[in-house]
Amino acid sequence: MPTKEKGARIPQRSAYTVKNLLGDLKKLKLTPSTLYTVGTEIIYFEWTQAREELGEQDEITIHLEELMRFMQTDYERRLLQGELRREKDTPNEAINTFLKETPIEFQSYVLKRPGPFVQGVLQAMHTQSEREIARYKRTENGIRKELEEHPKDPELWNHLRLVLWIIGQYDDASDAYKRAKIFGWDKTKSKIVGI
């Protein structure tokens, strides 16, 4: 029987395949920090197990490492650098693209962690994400007030872009990115180094 927690529907599973995990992950609205935690708590363990059992050159090990890298560093880095600014760049779309580019053997690979453990991590991250998103919504209001006083500040527009992206307002985030660029935002000089 699926569990419900504020809109999240995560089926109970005795075991997870990579495809099940990513499918359930897409049902959640994860922030960069909670995506990082999923990469650390679930994918890192699976990658180390695959490396020991299958070897470093096995395609399952390689794809798990790629997935782990996306969750732990690449997503946040690309977001901070302004590479993610269109709706097609969302984590769900990245997961869809990743799955399409991986072989069925990888997608059907059964994770070593038991299903209830994986589900517990996903539920915990969903709850944490909801708290973070509520905090980011409050931050958005503060940034908008600052923008009223400093409407041409590129760093404020970039900060607004990041906040809007994380709370799922992708069109508005894209508009904020355009304004940040118009007013001179440069990723190499950005003051924001982490989310």
Side-chain angles (χ1 to χ4, degrees), residues 25-76:
L25 198 59
K26 289 187 331 183
K27 294 174 185 172
L28 308 178
K29 193 172 194 176
L30 298 175
T31 62
S33 68
T34 54
L35 193 62
Y36 172 87
T37 302
V38 171
T40 301
E41 295 293 323
I42 299 172
I43 303 302
Y44 176 77
F45 175 82
E46 299 300 333
W47 170 70
T48 58
Q49 294 297 301
R51 197 175 62 178
E52 288 176 18
E53 293 175 15
L54 305 172
E56 289 187 28
Q57 299 308 313
D58 188 87
E59 69 179 13
I60 289 172
T61 307
I62 292 166
H63 290 307
L64 282 170
E65 183 175 12
E66 184 181 331
L67 181 59
M68 178 181 64
R69 197 169 39 247
F70 168 75
M71 290 179 170
Q72 290 183 328
T73 58
D74 291 352
Y75 179 71
E76 182 180 19

Side-chain angles (χ1 to χ4, degrees), residues 99 138 145 150 155 168 177 185:
L99 274 175
R138 291 189 300 272
K145 285 179 184 171
H150 309 284
E155 281 296 321
Y177 174 80
W185 180 76

Side-chain angles (χ1 to χ4, degrees), residues 32 75-82 84 161-162 165 195:
Y75 179 71
E76 182 180 19
R77 179 189 51 76
R78 292 181 67 208
L79 183 59
L80 287 170
Q81 292 180 351
L84 305 177
R161 169 187 71 89
L162 292 169
W165 184 270
I195 299 174

Side-chain angles (χ1 to χ4, degrees), residues 103-185:
I104 192 72
E105 294 79 17
F106 175 70
Q107 295 176 25
S108 60
Y109 177 73
V110 178
L111 304 183
K112 303 299 180 199
R113 292 272 199 208
F117 174 86
V118 174
Q119 184 181 6
V121 171
L122 295 180
Q123 283 295 152
M125 291 306 97
H126 172 66
T127 301
Q128 183 178 326
S129 283
E130 285 192 334
R131 288 184 190 126
E132 288 181 20
I133 288 168
R135 189 182 81 233
Y136 281 117
K137 286 180 180 177
R138 291 189 300 272
T139 302
E140 175 193 0
N141 293 333
I143 295 169
R144 289 194 185 278
K145 285 179 184 171
E146 285 186 62
L147 279 168
E148 288 173 11
E149 296 175 26
H150 309 284
K152 295 185 178 182
D153 185 324
E155 281 296 321
L156 282 176
W157 282 107
N158 181 53
H159 196 174
L160 181 63
R161 169 187 71 89
L162 292 169
V163 167
L164 291 170
W165 184 270
I166 291 168
I167 65 176
Q169 295 180 12
Y170 303 114
D171 287 341
D172 292 342
S174 184
D175 290 341
Y177 174 80
K178 290 172 189 167
R179 288 181 185 248
K181 290 298 279 183
I182 287 169
F183 296 127
W185 180 76

